[in-house]
Amino acid sequence: MELRVLRYFLMIVQEKTISKASARLHVSQPTVSRQLKELEEELGTTLFTRGNRTIQLTPDGEYFANQARQILSLTDKTLTNIHQETDISGAIYVGSAEARSVLTVAQAIGHLNQQHPHVQIHLVSTDASDIHSQLTSGVFDFGVVMDPTDKSDYDFLRLPGESRWGLLVQNSSPLAQQATVSLDDVAQTRLILPQQGGSARIHAVFGLTQEDLNVAATYNLLYNASLLVSAGVGNALGLDGIVNTNQSDLTFVPLAPRTSSGSSLVWLKGQRLSAAAQALLAQVRAELTPTEN
């Protein structure tokens, strides 16, 4: 299986027709069709269902497309990091939860960029489960995860600062008039919950079980959850400082008693980091080291 064929396949996935994919690839349509047929024969499965105008992925095709993206992402990253100049260069992939403490990593990236402008950072907002998967597969170099998270597979640095939990509500909600919300308020409202860690995480942080809650929806990015709140789906349980509620129809009401979560920068134990990734890790450590006056 050649990487070139994987790129052909993903272009077909993107364009949904072989003719458009061929034009984008600057390759003849018969060549692309033949390569797709040979790929399906090699895999022993059908990747597409052919319609009158477009083609759709089969379940096997959906799975293979996801794997192909990871393979090509890892390949491109590896080639970039191998073909380095005298100055440190290369690509670094960081999967990150949404949290104020990401600012420390952002500051490290800014200082690294000043020293090594040929290093390129790819920051992907996602959850702990995907971070673990992408670190294990070698796509991500680092992750930023919220506590509590099982870090037995990781080396890690705790990041400074904590984010406070609360409810994101509509301004018209009676809860928006309160200075804080209680766990009883949380239990009595229709909730939009973070996907990260699921019910086990909610129980670990708040002591609430699935049976205690009225769950309307879940999310992995709080900005998207804020749109659900605006649409009246429910109130989003999340961390402060992520969604800017100024001049919006939303209010963040903190939980009382105060409940906060910290975060950590993680990477796989035993993972051999590229020169660029080592440089970023050193810069994060420098950000965490107090300067002497």
Side-chain angles (χ1 to χ4, degrees):
M1 186 183 303
E2 298 181 19
L3 296 176
R4 170 177 51 83
V5 177
L6 294 184
R7 297 187 193 278
Y8 288 1
F9 166 70
L10 289 180
M11 185 61 72
I12 296 170
V13 173
Q14 178 180 320
E15 297 298 327
K16 298 188 183 303
T17 69
I18 293 178
S19 59
K20 289 182 179 179
S22 301
R24 290 284 304 277
L25 292 165
H26 304 290
V27 179
S28 70
Q29 186 170 333
T31 298
V32 175
S33 296
R34 185 180 68 254
Q35 294 284 3
L36 176 60
K37 181 180 179 182
E38 291 176 356
L39 179 60
E40 289 181 318
E41 290 174 352
E42 182 178 355
L43 294 172
T45 190
T46 301
L47 299 173
F48 295 101
T49 55
R50 278 75 169 173
N52 293 331
R53 296 186 178 181
T54 63
I55 54 180
Q56 300 294 327
L57 287 171
T58 64
D60 283 347
E62 291 277 4
Y63 172 77
F64 185 72
N66 182 58
Q67 298 300 106
R69 292 187 188 99
Q70 292 197 37
I71 291 169
L72 291 178
S73 176
L74 182 57
T75 300
D76 292 342
K77 171 186 156 184
T78 301
L79 290 175
T80 300
N81 288 334
I82 288 176
H83 298 155
Q84 294 183 4
E85 304 169 7
T86 303
D87 181 26
I88 294 177
S89 63
I92 304 171
Y93 286 76
V94 182
S96 179
E98 295 180 298
R100 284 182 171 181
S101 50
V102 176
L103 177 61
T104 299
V105 179
Q107 291 170 335
I109 291 171
H111 292 143
L112 178 69
N113 187 253
Q114 293 173 9
Q115 299 171 39
H116 304 290
H118 296 109
V119 172
Q120 188 176 57
I121 307 293
H122 301 275
L123 186 64
V124 181
S125 294
T126 187
D127 59 25
S129 176
D130 186 54
I131 287 171
H132 185 273
S133 174
Q134 302 284 28
L135 283 171
T136 302
S137 64
V139 175
F140 288 169
D141 298 285
F142 300 102
V144 177
V145 297
M146 300 302 299
D147 294 323
T149 295
D150 179 11
K151 294 188 279 291
S152 56
D153 292 339
Y154 303 136
D155 288 319
F156 63 93
L157 294 173
R158 294 195 184 279
L159 299 174
E162 291 190 335
S163 296
R164 188 172 183 180
W165 286 92
L167 282 181
L168 195 62
V169 304
Q170 290 182 339
N171 291 340
S172 58
S173 168
L175 294 175
Q177 309 310 312
Q178 299 180 191
T180 60
V181 291
S182 66
L183 287 179
D184 284 342
D185 292 324
V186 172
Q188 292 173 18
T189 189
R190 282 178 59 80
L191 282 174
I192 304 168
L193 292 182
Q195 292 176 1
Q196 179 172 330
S199 58
R201 176 178 177 81
I202 298 301
H203 179 68
V205 176
F206 304 101
L208 298 171
T209 66
Q210 192 75 18
E211 290 72 23
D212 296 325
L213 306 175
N214 179 9
V215 181
T218 64
Y219 71 89
N220 68 341
L221 295 176
L222 189 56
Y223 174 76
N224 289 338
S226 73
L227 301 180
L228 294 178
V229 177
S230 293
V233 175
N235 299 317
L237 183 65
L239 298 168
D240 66 346
I242 298 173
V243 173
N244 184 358
T245 58
N246 291 334
Q247 298 181 336
S248 77
D249 62 342
L250 303 178
T251 297
F252 181 87
V253 188
L255 190 67
R258 183 185 181 97
T259 305
S260 302
S261 289
S263 63
S264 299
L265 180 75
V266 301
W267 61 101
L268 279 183
K269 286 182 177 178
Q271 177 73 26
R272 182 169 182 176
L273 298 174
S274 67
Q278 291 179 41
L280 176 59
L281 183 58
Q283 191 60 57
V284 173
R285 285 196 168 105
E287 298 292 331
L288 299 176
T289 303
T291 57
E292 297 183 0
N293 295 326

